[in-house]
Amino acid sequence: MASPTPLLKDELDIVIPTIRNLDFLEMWRPFFEPYHLIIVQDGDPAKTIKVPEGFDYELYNRNDINRILGPKANCISFKDSACRCFGYMVSKKKYIYTIDDDCFVANDPSGKQINALEQHIKNLLCPSTPFFFNTLYEPYREGADFVRGYPFSLREGVPTAVSHGLWLNIPDYDAPTQLVKPLERNTRYVDAILTIPKGTLFPMCGMNLAFDRELIGPAMYFGLMGDGQPIGRYDDMWAGWCIKVICDHLGLGVKTGLPYIFHSKASNPFVNLRKEYKGIFWQEDIIPFFQNVVLSKEATTVQKCYLELAKEVKDKLSKIDPYFDKLADAMVTWIESWDELNPAGASAANGKA
């Protein structure tokens, strides 16, 4: 049952990237209507996107992005859902939930509708345990605890920066896997939340994701993808590798597992293959890079960490392809833009943009 007063009603924005009318919000109305939406319209800015009545929202298209960021707008991807990160930048709230417009409300095994947003909020408000694995998974849930042998000195946990949710129906597969398993559907509901251990990377999917903007927001850059770029569908992956390295460095937690959403439609595997082709090769070098990158003791803020990471990307990954030179520059531009729109000391709860 949804809480009578929605959790964090005035402290959370829902960010949705889209190229179409947002009819899918009707299904989410009981859960999303109390919250403020930031819609980032991709593609043709002349197209009118219809939003169902009753939702409190602001909508930004490419013209708005160009107007707000000026020459720095080139760090925001075009014709790719990576444009969603512009919404993270203009939000003035402490928390962000982002969801794709082909994601519907899922049912748990008892048939009850899952309030994904409420579960994400619970994940974020609860500590994480990245330094020692608890074999009963999330120790702070009702009916669970720390098991015998878990050090008492680590039981307070650390602040949770990211809550990564999962998907029933269409799994988040890459193109080669889609091609060999075209009919595969995920029907397994695993009732678990895990903290991803320190030093372990993971593939972050942006279609059902929540994070604490104050703790990790400046690192949630979804890269240069889509129009004019040699790669697509690695936007959330790139952000996931960056945030994990930075969370590990700063002593923050990342959770994955509940909540589930229902992912309604599979994207075209041939189109996906064209977008992912280079990334499938490149990631064999990118992953070791992130596994081995070391941030300095001076990197005490997310921004400082991210700028160090950008320098490392330029130094170490540019030899793979000139694209990484451009990406490293865009990472710096992103931080400059973030700091311009979010001056240090500005109240996080200073109302809507």
Side-chain angles (χ1 to χ4, degrees):
M1 193 179 80
S3 314
T5 304
L7 290 168
L8 304 179
K9 186 173 98 63
D10 301 317
E11 293 180 74
L12 181 141
D13 280 333
I14 299 172
V15 174
I16 305 165
T18 193
I19 54 169
R20 58 181 68 86
N21 293 336
L22 292 179
D23 306 329
F24 93 112
L25 284 172
E26 283 299 348
M27 185 181 238
W28 286 101
R29 188 181 289 278
F31 307 130
F32 287 3
E33 199 170 23
Y35 295 88
H36 181 64
L37 312 182
I38 297 177
I39 298 157
V40 184
Q41 177 180 341
D42 198 16
D44 181 6
K47 185 179 173 187
T48 302
I49 299 283
K50 292 197 177 72
V51 181
E53 288 290 316
F55 286 94
D56 169 36
Y57 71 94
E58 55 196 299
L59 187 148
Y60 297 93
N61 62 28
R62 194 69 208 187
N63 295 340
D64 299 313
I65 295 171
N66 291 339
R67 175 176 51 80
I68 291 164
L69 295 184
K72 292 189 171 76
N74 61 7
C75 73
I76 304 296
S77 300
F78 184 53
K79 295 190 177 169
D80 193 282
S81 66
C83 68
R84 79 177 79 218
C85 63
F86 178 77
Y88 310 160
M89 188 189 273
V90 295
S91 170
K92 296 290 179 275
K93 304 288 176 59
K94 180 169 164 54
Y95 299 98
I96 295 282
Y97 175 52
T98 186
I99 185 171
D100 285 4
D101 61 14
D102 61 351
C103 294
F104 300 160
V105 178
N107 293 331
D108 70 15
S110 74
K112 184 166 163 274
Q113 286 200 324
I114 298 164
N115 183 348
L117 180 52
E118 184 178 57
Q119 181 63 55
H120 274 298
I121 291 169
K122 286 177 177 171
N123 292 352
L124 289 171
L125 294 180
C126 216
S128 290
T129 53
F131 305 124
F132 202 89
F133 190 80
N134 191 50
T135 50
L136 269 185
Y137 310 125
E138 175 70 280
Y140 307 106
R141 287 181 82 186
E142 203 174 327
D145 212 320
F146 292 98
V147 296
R148 183 170 56 88
Y150 201 100
F152 281 86
S153 58
L154 293 176
R155 292 189 183 194
E156 275 185 22
V158 301
T160 301
V162 179
S163 170
H164 177 258
L166 299 174
W167 347 269
L168 292 171
N169 196 40
I170 308 285
D172 187 26
Y173 284 163
D174 55 32
T177 311
Q178 278 184 298
L179 285 165
V180 295
K181 294 180 161 183
L183 301 179
E184 185 153 292
R185 299 293 178 265
N186 183 33
T187 56
R188 292 175 62 229
Y189 179 95
V190 180
D191 186 12
I193 304 156
L194 286 76
T195 295
I196 301 173
K198 183 178 180 181
T200 301
L201 295 171
F202 76 111
M204 188 173 85
C205 170
M207 69 175 141
N208 174 26
L209 178 74
F211 60 93
D212 184 322
R213 197 173 160 277
E214 288 178 7
L215 286 181
I216 200 64
M220 265 302 172
Y221 175 46
F222 275 41
L224 285 178
M225 302 282 148
D227 203 44
Q229 308 301 340
I231 186 174
R233 284 172 58 82
Y234 274 87
D235 51 337
D236 42 8
M237 299 292 139
W238 181 261
W241 299 327
C242 292
I243 62 99
K244 188 58 170 65
V245 164
I246 292 172
C247 283
D248 286 353
H249 177 73
L250 295 177
L252 300 170
V254 179
K255 292 182 183 178
T256 187
L258 300 183
Y260 283 89
I261 50 84
F262 183 90
H263 185 208
S264 66
K265 73 173 199 296
S267 43
N268 183 316
F270 295 100
V271 173
N272 290 349
L273 187 58
R274 205 160 51 233
K275 291 177 180 177
E276 293 172 0
Y277 178 73
K278 283 183 156 63
I280 289 168
F281 289 98
W282 290 348
Q283 69 184 18
E284 300 305 321
D285 290 310
I286 296 170
I287 301 302
F289 163 78
F290 279 106
Q291 285 171 330
N292 294 301
V293 73
V294 177
L295 300 173
S296 74
K297 283 200 278 291
E298 288 71 48
T300 51
T301 66
V302 176
Q303 279 93 330
K304 285 178 182 172
C305 290
Y306 203 73
L307 292 173
E308 281 195 10
L309 209 45
K311 186 178 182 309
E312 290 288 325
V313 167
K314 196 178 259 293
D315 293 348
K316 307 263 170 61
L317 293 181
S318 291
K319 65 178 186 293
I320 300 174
D321 192 275
Y323 165 75
F324 289 98
D325 209 45
K326 201 161 65 160
L327 177 57
D329 290 341
M331 291 167 74
V332 175
T333 305
W334 160 265
I335 291 293
E336 290 169 355
S337 304
W338 183 283
D339 286 345
E340 278 174 29
L341 290 180
N342 301 277
S347 163
N350 61 355
K352 300 180 183 85

